[in-house]
Amino acid sequence: MNLDPKTYDVAIIGSGFSGSSLAAILARQGQRVVVFEAKSHPKFAIGESMILETSEVLRATAEFFDVPELAYFSSENFFKLAGTSHGVKRHFSYLHHTPGQPQNKEHSLQAVIPRQPHGHEMHLFRQDTDAFLTATAVAYGAEVLQETPVKEVDVQADGVEIVTAKGERYRANFVVDAGGFRSLLAERFDLRDMDLQTHSRTIFTHMVNVPCYNDVGGSTTEYGIPYRLSEGTLHHIFRGGWLWVIPFNNHPQATNPLCSVGLLLDPRIHPERPDLSPEEEFNAFIGQYPGMAAQFANARSVRAWTRTGRIQYSSKQVVGDRFCLLGHAAGFIDPLFSKGLYVTSMSTALCAHLLLKAKETGDYSAAAFQPLEEQTLAYIRTNDRLIANSFRSFSHPKLWQVYSVLWLLGAYTELVMLNSARAQAKDRDDYFRRTRPLHLAGGGFPGFQQIADKIDGLMEGCDLGDQASVDRTEAEIQAIFAEVDWLPLAFRHVLAGKNHLPANKLRLSLLAGNESFLKTGEYRKHFFGDSSMWDVTRIFVEEKVKYAAPVLEWQKRRKMGH
């Protein structure tokens, strides 16, 4: 037992994606860091689908904090560095289902992820990513204590004392709770907030022998889509829920036969079946939908099924004097649009930035960390409303078709702002100043928020049981989008009935004229400032070269002295 506790700058509870990333950043920047992990790596985790926003934040974090390993999971170009247990992600795809009927191919959407300039996204095999990030933290100097659950956290005026289950004591200037829903600090200070719009519960596992849906439900030609459905994240959607299919064996380099599978259900519409095991309930539910049942006819789970109650929660506060909640300790909504890792990555980067400042100033007060609370809670609130109204739209394919464009537009503008912030930022302070107005969707652009508020209000006021109300809501949303002069042409095509975004988004029209990528007026000023099309083109080319697979591999060999 430690009678004289070791002292650190920062103590972190939990070594998942957020805790291990934060530890690596802080240790790389010279801070004394200790991480407490109740279990040991490798360990199972979900949250496997990457999105462009998450990848861009990881690139920015890697650059501004000099931790190149954080970017390893930002695109397929890193496969030789990140490992081939991960899958590739070329799209988000959504297939709408009706009980007892074959899947209607007209009710489909494939949101293609651009390959340029960074490469397609990845499906993360989380037991490998989290173990790698934890090892990276150790390599930079963090002390990681696995199989060491924390029993008590005593937040004092001059520091924090942590007591492990074994009775060992540690002291730190600040404690970060990255321990997920069962956060010790959230429980101690009664911080949980359950007043959220989204309602969903889950049944999930990892499986083998899950075929590509194109092999059981129709070819890419029949659907008229650019990519096979197994080459990205597939969402089967239906009234009151959806099902994810995330394969790790979907590219030529793949070495992992597993596929992540999860069923999300609104318990108010689809209450739990306690008379059935989780696996039995899963099979009974998808048995109502011929298309989904066909995909899983010969699939087998490789681990125990997990079934949860409602998964939505937030926090009344995220920071306090000398402590904060990070990642899923702060809140969680639903993985429908894979926003969870984006919230986690942005919060982790901002938390690291504030902790480095606190080390300089000695100010570890709640006020000094208020930007982390404001941004984290704003992200959670936006995600909650977006997903709650998406669930509502699943009741009618026409509503989903128009509401999906709000999701697409919000993600697109958020990404544009993230790219612009990294490209224009003079230093780390400038980067976080530029990204502070972000809140998950829309890139902090007031014009987007005005549109989102109108459309979400219409969705929340729609009587889903009245076809006339549904038709009226769909028409009013169409009218709102028709007035948006900065709406990308590809999204207008979706509104008109097209079921996919173009595989090649690089067109000459993006460089000039009314369809110029930069647009005009307040939109251009907000996202691009004084940048010209030449500036944007130059940055694009530089990024393509900088993140090309051969360049990344050469940099790694040079670093290792080969």
Side-chain angles (χ1 to χ4, degrees):
M1 182 180 296
N2 288 339
L3 298 178
D4 297 314
K6 295 181 179 180
T7 59
Y8 299 85
D9 293 306
V10 179
I12 301 172
I13 302 172
S15 64
F17 202 93
S18 58
S20 57
S21 297
L22 180 64
I25 293 168
L26 295 177
R28 178 71 180 92
Q29 295 296 316
Q31 295 223 7
R32 295 165 297 162
V33 183
V34 61
V35 181
F36 301 95
E37 171 54 56
K39 299 179 181 179
S40 62
H41 290 284
K43 58 178 185 172
F44 174 77
I46 56 173
E48 299 138 323
S49 171
M50 290 290 284
I51 58 175
L52 291 164
E53 300 96 293
T54 310
S55 294
E56 172 53 31
V57 170
L58 290 179
R59 285 188 289 270
T61 307
E63 292 180 16
F64 285 117
F65 293 102
D66 194 22
V67 184
E69 293 86 354
L70 291 175
Y72 282 11
F73 308 112
S74 65
S75 92
E76 62 181 341
N77 291 350
F78 283 96
F79 270 140
K80 287 190 177 180
L81 302 178
T84 53
S85 62
H86 312 293
V88 72
K89 176 174 176 175
R90 309 192 195 285
H91 58 78
F92 273 99
S93 287
Y94 296 83
L95 304 180
H96 190 280
H97 295 259
T98 301
Q101 299 181 20
Q103 200 278 321
N104 186 337
K105 294 178 179 61
E106 294 183 1
H107 298 159
S108 60
L109 172 65
Q110 186 168 96
V112 176
I113 294 168
R115 186 175 184 180
Q116 306 297 344
H118 301 109
H120 287 301
E121 302 296 297
M122 296 170 66
H123 288 158
L124 303 185
F125 188 47
R126 285 290 303 278
Q127 73 173 49
D128 285 1
T129 60
D130 295 9
F132 172 82
L133 290 170
T134 298
T136 300
V138 174
Y140 281 124
E143 184 174 350
V144 177
L145 306 175
Q146 301 190 59
E147 301 286 357
T148 307
V150 172
K151 180 182 179 182
E152 297 177 17
V153 178
D154 185 12
V155 180
Q156 304 164 354
D158 61 346
V160 181
E161 186 168 85
I162 296 95
V163 182
T164 70
K166 297 178 181 179
E168 295 181 317
R169 296 177 179 273
Y170 299 80
R171 285 193 64 82
N173 291 324
F174 194 92
V175 61
V176 176
D177 192 332
F181 174 72
R182 295 177 179 82
S183 156
L184 286 172
L185 294 179
E187 180 178 345
R188 176 180 173 182
F189 295 115
D190 188 27
L191 300 181
R192 280 288 168 253
D193 176 10
M194 312 302 287
D195 185 18
L196 297 159
Q197 297 183 52
T198 308
H199 285 257
S200 62
R201 62 185 183 92
T202 65
I203 305 173
F204 59 86
T205 190
H206 279 168
M207 306 186 83
V208 292
N209 300 336
V210 180
C212 176
Y213 190 80
N214 292 124
D215 295 335
V216 297
S219 67
T220 54
T221 301
E222 292 175 276
Y223 273 95
I225 52 179
Y227 292 108
R228 284 174 64 79
L229 291 166
S230 58
E231 292 184 278
T233 305
L234 173 59
H235 307 70
H236 295 291
I237 61 176
F238 46 84
R239 177 178 176 270
W242 63 283
L243 185 152
W244 81 66
V245 184
I246 302 176
F248 303 112
N249 62 342
N250 61 351
H251 59 96
Q253 298 171 272
T255 55
N256 186 348
L258 298 181
C259 179
S260 180
V261 176
L263 182 64
L264 282 292
L265 299 171
D266 186 331
R268 300 168 300 182
I269 299 173
H270 306 294
E272 183 179 330
R273 292 283 307 275
D275 56 315
L276 301 177
S277 70
E279 182 176 13
E280 290 171 337
E281 183 179 8
F282 176 88
N283 289 325
F285 188 87
I286 67 170
Q288 304 172 78
Y289 302 89
M292 284 190 277
Q295 187 172 21
F296 293 96
N298 298 311
R300 293 184 294 116
S301 63
V302 300
R303 57 174 295 110
W305 289 78
T306 298
R307 178 167 58 190
T308 73
R310 185 187 178 200
I311 59 175
Q312 287 71 43
Y313 61 92
S314 183
S315 298
K316 300 169 190 174
Q317 70 182 76
V318 172
V319 306
D321 292 341
R322 295 191 179 274
F323 78 86
C324 75
L325 308 182
L326 188 65
H328 292 167
F332 185 80
I333 301 301
D334 181 286
L336 176 62
F337 297 121
S338 304
K339 302 287 190 183
L341 277 180
Y342 173 41
V343 178
T344 291
S345 298
M346 180 59 87
S347 298
T348 299
L350 179 56
C351 182
H353 179 63
L354 296 174
L355 281 168
L356 292 176
K357 281 186 165 296
K359 175 66 174 178
E360 296 174 359
T361 63
D363 184 1
Y364 290 94
S365 68
F369 287 81
Q370 196 61 30
L372 177 62
E373 174 161 308
E374 293 172 359
Q375 191 168 72
T376 301
L377 294 181
Y379 275 50
I380 292 171
R381 285 193 297 269
T382 299
N383 203 22
D384 182 34
R385 195 176 194 190
L386 176 66
I387 293 175
N389 282 326
S390 295
F391 266 69
R392 291 176 62 80
S393 76
F394 293 165
S395 295
H396 297 271
K398 288 176 61 177
L399 275 184
W400 164 243
Q401 182 179 327
V402 294
Y403 192 74
S404 68
V405 174
L406 185 64
W407 156 58
L408 290 168
L409 184 61
Y412 169 77
T413 47
E414 189 84 351
L415 176 65
V416 170
M417 193 61 194
L418 287 169
N419 284 328
S420 180
R422 177 165 65 93
Q424 297 186 65
K426 300 172 184 176
D427 52 30
R428 197 170 66 224
D429 279 320
D430 191 23
Y431 176 78
F432 286 105
R433 179 186 65 79
R434 291 173 182 271
T435 56
R436 184 166 181 176
L438 300 183
H439 53 88
L440 189 101
F445 183 47
F448 172 83
Q449 194 56 52
Q450 292 166 8
I451 294 167
D453 287 341
K454 290 179 183 178
I455 292 175
D456 281 322
L458 289 171
M459 287 296 302
E460 289 153 2
C462 179
D463 182 352
L464 299 175
D466 179 0
Q467 189 60 48
S469 178
V470 171
D471 292 341
R472 184 168 55 253
T473 300
E474 186 264 340
E476 290 175 339
I477 293 175
Q478 287 273 16
I480 290 171
F481 281 128
E483 296 298 316
V484 181
D485 59 4
W486 43 270
L487 185 71
L489 185 61
F491 299 169
R492 294 193 188 279
H493 290 163
V494 172
L495 288 168
K498 191 172 183 178
N499 74 342
H500 65 276
L501 300 182
N504 181 11
K505 295 182 173 64
L506 298 178
R507 305 184 307 277
L508 291 177
S509 61
L510 293 176
L511 302 179
N514 293 333
E515 277 302 312
S516 167
F517 174 71
L518 271 64
K519 301 297 182 183
T520 59
E522 290 301 313
Y523 178 92
R524 178 167 181 164
K525 180 180 179 181
H526 177 84
F527 288 101
F528 301 102
D530 298 327
S531 298
S532 66
M533 183 54 72
W534 165 249
D535 294 327
V536 173
T537 303
R538 174 181 53 79
I539 292 168
F540 178 93
V541 173
E542 290 174 352
E543 288 285 293
K544 182 174 173 59
V545 173
K546 182 178 182 179
Y547 287 97
V551 174
L552 298 172
E553 293 163 22
W554 172 77
Q555 289 175 339
K556 178 67 172 179
R557 289 195 301 270
R558 187 180 66 170
K559 182 177 180 181
M560 296 179 67
H562 297 310

